[in-house]
Amino acid sequence: MADPNPQEDFSKLTADLAALREDVAKLAESLAALAKQEGAAAAETVKEKVRSGKAQAEATAAGLLDEGAAAVEDAKACASALCRDASGAIERNPFAAVVAALGIGFVFGLISRGR
């Protein structure tokens, strides 16, 4: 049997450790590059989702604005029609309109007196 040579074993161990350090450094560089690349891809995906969400929100807001404007126009038309109807009813029967106004005033007076 051959006698183990401590000097030779130490040299081999040192060389193996140096090779291992190089491999770990290369692995760390590869992982850093991969992480950077994946991070950039994820950032671009997030940016695209934000752009899409912004466009969808703007479209929804524009639709709601149009619906609101249409509702205001409908309310104006309805109020105008009610005013015309009330004016016509007062012109047709002025005595009933005066009695109704007095009755409403009386009810409001009773309500406000109770407070």
Side-chain angles (χ1 to χ4, degrees), residues 49-96:
K49 295 281 185 184
V50 168
R51 285 186 205 115
S52 173
K54 180 182 175 186
Q56 189 175 15
E58 288 173 348
T60 301
L64 290 175
L65 183 64
D66 292 343
E67 288 178 21
V72 166
E73 291 301 319
D74 289 346
K76 284 181 182 179
C78 186
S80 178
L82 285 174
C83 285
R84 282 192 307 270
D85 291 346
S87 295
I90 290 171
E91 288 176 4
R92 285 190 304 273
N93 199 350
F95 182 70

Side-chain angles (χ1 to χ4, degrees), residues 15-41:
D16 288 345
L17 282 175
L20 184 60
R21 282 186 186 132
E22 280 183 37
D23 290 345
V24 168
K26 287 178 185 176
L27 181 61
E29 288 175 11
S30 296
L31 287 175
L34 180 63
K36 186 176 181 179
Q37 183 181 20
E38 290 297 320

